[in-house]
Amino acid sequence: MSIQEIVSILTSAGIEQREAVQEVKMLIEHFCNYGAKDIIMGKPLDYEKLKIVKNKAEHRAKTREPIQYIIGKAYFMGNYYKVTPDVLIPRDETEIVVDHALDIIKDNNLKNVLDIGTGSGCIACTIKLKTNTNVVGIDISKNALKIAKENTLSHHAQVDYIQSDLFSNLSKDTKFDLIISNPPYIPIGTELQREVQFEPKTALFTSEKTGCEFYKKIIEHGKDYLNDGGYIVFELGINESELVKTYFKSNGYTQITVIKDLAGIDRVISAQIQ
C-alpha cells in the first residue's frame, strides 16, 4: 500500500488532486504522528498506522465527511482548534474578517470585544491572543460552547463564554467597543455541498430567503451594547453586502467598509456607530 494509492481513493471519489494530497498528508500527520521532519530523516511509515489512514480515506470518500471532523481539528490563523459537527469548520475567508477586526482594534485601542455565534471559539481566541482586549463569546448552542471552552483552555486564552440567543442573556449594562460575527447567512432552502451538510444547520441557515436575518438583528440591537464610536464587523454571504449596507445606514452607522476575498467576492463589512 502506497501513499499515492490512498490519494487515489480520494480523487476517485471526485476530490481534486491537490486537495486529496493535502488531506492524506493531514491524515498521516494525525494518525501516524508523521511529519515533515520524519520525511527528511527518512523514517519509515508504520504499516498498521498507514492502514488506519487508508480506512479513514475510504470513509472520507464514501461519506464526504470533512477531513477536519475526521481528525477532530482545523487550522485557523496559526493555530489548530478542536472541531466537531457541533461547530462550523473555520475557513480561510473568516481569517480576512478577523484580520480586519484586528486592524480596527489596534488602530483605535479598543478594549472590549463580543464574538456572536462563537462556535469553536477560534475568532474569540485569536483576538484574545493577538490583542490586549477583554473578549466575550456567545452562542445559542451549549455543545458549541463546550468546544469553545476546550479550545480556550488549550490555547491559554482568557475568554468568557455565555450561552445566549444573540443578546438575550447579556445585561443591558454590558458595553463593547467591537462586535464581530460570522452569523448564519445561507438562505433557507439552499442546496449545499455534501461536506457542508455535516456542519450544524443552526450555524448555517437563516429562516428567510435573503440570508440577512441575523445581520439585521445584530445591527438593530447591537446599538444597545456598543459604546459610542463602537464597531460591528461581519463576515458576508454572497450577494448580501448591499442589503447589509442598507441596514447599517438606516440604523445610524457610518464609516461603512467592504472588503473582498481572494475570489473578488464581498466578504467583510464593518461599520461604526456614532
Side-chain angles (χ1 to χ4, degrees), residues 144-156:
L145 289 175
K146 180 181 177 182
I147 300 301
K149 290 174 182 177
E150 289 183 33
N151 281 321
T152 299
L153 286 172
S154 66
H155 291 297
H156 307 288

Side-chain angles (χ1 to χ4, degrees), residues 115-158:
D115 175 24
I116 296 179
T118 194
S120 66
C122 63
I123 291 175
C125 284
T126 300
I127 290 175
K128 182 62 183 179
L129 291 170
K130 293 182 178 291
T131 66
N132 183 28
T133 53
N134 302 308
V135 183
V136 174
I138 60 174
D139 204 291
I140 194 172
S141 168
K142 182 178 179 180
N143 291 335
L145 289 175
K146 180 181 177 182
I147 300 301
K149 290 174 182 177
E150 289 183 33
N151 281 321
T152 299
L153 286 172
S154 66
H155 291 297
H156 307 288
Q158 180 58 51

Side-chain angles (χ1 to χ4, degrees), residues 64-69 74 83-91 182 186 192-205:
R64 300 306 286 263
E65 180 178 6
I67 196 73
Q68 293 87 348
Y69 288 153
V83 292
T84 72
D86 289 312
V87 300
L88 289 180
I89 296 168
R91 289 170 168 79
N182 177 17
I186 299 175
L192 302 177
Q193 293 179 323
R194 287 177 65 188
E195 283 85 350
V196 182
Q197 293 174 24
F198 284 85
E199 301 191 64
K201 303 297 185 291
T202 55
L204 294 170
F205 290 104

Side-chain angles (χ1 to χ4, degrees), residues 219-274:
I219 288 169
E220 289 179 353
H221 299 290
K223 293 182 291 186
D224 296 330
Y225 296 89
L226 282 171
N227 288 317
D228 292 343
Y231 294 82
I232 291 180
V233 180
F234 286 128
E235 177 166 330
L236 285 168
I238 295 174
N239 298 322
E240 294 174 350
S241 62
E242 290 304 318
L243 191 51
V244 177
K245 278 184 190 178
T246 300
Y247 292 149
F248 272 131
K249 290 176 181 177
S250 64
N251 281 276
Y253 292 79
T254 61
Q255 304 299 319
I256 299 171
T257 301
V258 176
I259 298 173
K260 296 182 183 296
D261 62 19
L262 294 178
I265 297 168
D266 290 349
R267 185 58 64 185
V268 185
I269 190 167
S270 66
Q272 184 180 27
I273 192 69
Q274 298 302 316

Side-chain angles (χ1 to χ4, degrees), residues 80-96:
Y80 279 100
Y81 291 88
K82 178 178 178 178
V83 292
T84 72
D86 289 312
V87 300
L88 289 180
I89 296 168
R91 289 170 168 79
D92 292 344
E93 292 85 356
T94 307
E95 294 193 2
I96 304 172

